[in-house]
Amino acid sequence: MSGFRDPLRIETPTPGAATRLVIRQPDDWHVHLRDGDMLRAVVNETARQFARAIVMPNLVPPVTTVAAAEAYRSRIQAALAPGLAFTPLMTAYLTDTIDPCEIERGFETGVFTAAKMYPAHATTNSAQGVTDIQRIYHVLEVMQRIGMPLLLHGEVADHRVDVFDREAVFIERVLAKLLAAFPALRVVLEHITTEAAVAFVETAGPNLGATITPHHLVINRNAMFEGGIRPHMYCLPVAKRERHRLALRRAATSGNPKFFLGTDSAPHVVGEKESDCGCAGIFNAPVALETYAAVFDEEGALEKLEAFAAEHGPRFYGLSLNTGSIVLERTPRRVSPTMVVANTRMIPFQANASLAWTFRGRSSGAC
Ligand code: DOR
Ligand code: ZN
């Protein structure tokens, strides 16, 4: 097909053959790679698709120092399959008492790419998160000065607020004030789930961007209760009503550079999900690009996938675009029902489903 500049190509090699999409290699701007056995089980799912990923710091204990981030980065690199080129971009976990000098030193030395703010008790491993954003205003001052992005888990942790309203209330109570106080701070509202978030990001200045997950483009809140309770569809922010899912699909496929790919792939072993108090998190890494491709295809916007997946994110972060390409093919693929980790299992997003698109790997570069 003509009319697209390199490297994006949508092609049907011979009549009747499956359509192939060749795009610049994407990055994942939000992922949980965990540690130990889990890290080894999941990291190559991310690394085979993405050139770089913003790695979340919510380990136990959280990544709050430059030394901890460097050690974690080494463990990630050691877990990569031989020959797989992948760059983990490390983040700092903000606490009420984090040392701003440590944040600045980590950013200036290239160890920290960004810092993540979890409101305390908002989600998995957030107990040491920030209890009141004003307590870290002096840290945000430094981040604004040095150009370091702030990544937000955008939900209030106030249990009086309905769980489905916590993102919208965060925008009102926290985000609007934060942007007014730090007009030059680069901020990413992570894994947005609501019409309110889409509208807020669209109207804010260019220093506010947002990531959108594959699962929030595919499921609405009914998916958690389909014929019974479905713990593998539970994540935070929780999936919302259908109209919100549709707003996210419009935003992702709009071509607006403020919206970019962030999977929020968040693996937990089966016992932690299928439990009296199951963990939040959807493990979507094995199907990430294929899921996004299907969504863009369904929306008639395949030509917008490359920018969402491989251009908007690096431009927001001020990083170079990747030069390699990957290939996706419109061929059905069955997702495995389960994945082994140590002596237990995980259930991936879309387990057992038939996907319309198949990821074919990195392109040889021959055009
Ligand atoms: O669903 C989620 N899982 N949301 C988060 O914010 C954290 C993540 C995790 O670490 O499991
Ligand atoms: Zn996350």
Side-chain angles (χ1 to χ4, degrees), residues 277-313:
C277 184
C279 293
I282 292 182
F283 175 45
N284 61 35
V287 297
L289 279 181
E290 293 153 331
T291 304
Y292 284 116
V295 168
F296 278 69
D297 197 8
E298 287 156 14
E299 297 293 325
L302 273 182
E303 79 286 356
K304 301 264 178 60
L305 178 63
E306 180 178 59
F308 173 79
E311 295 174 1
H312 298 168

Side-chain angles (χ1 to χ4, degrees), residues 30 32 191 264:
H30 182 131
H32 299 266
H191 41 54
D264 198 17

Side-chain angles (χ1 to χ4, degrees), residues 94 100 125 170 207 216:
L94 296 172
N125 299 340
F170 179 90
N207 57 320
H216 289 114

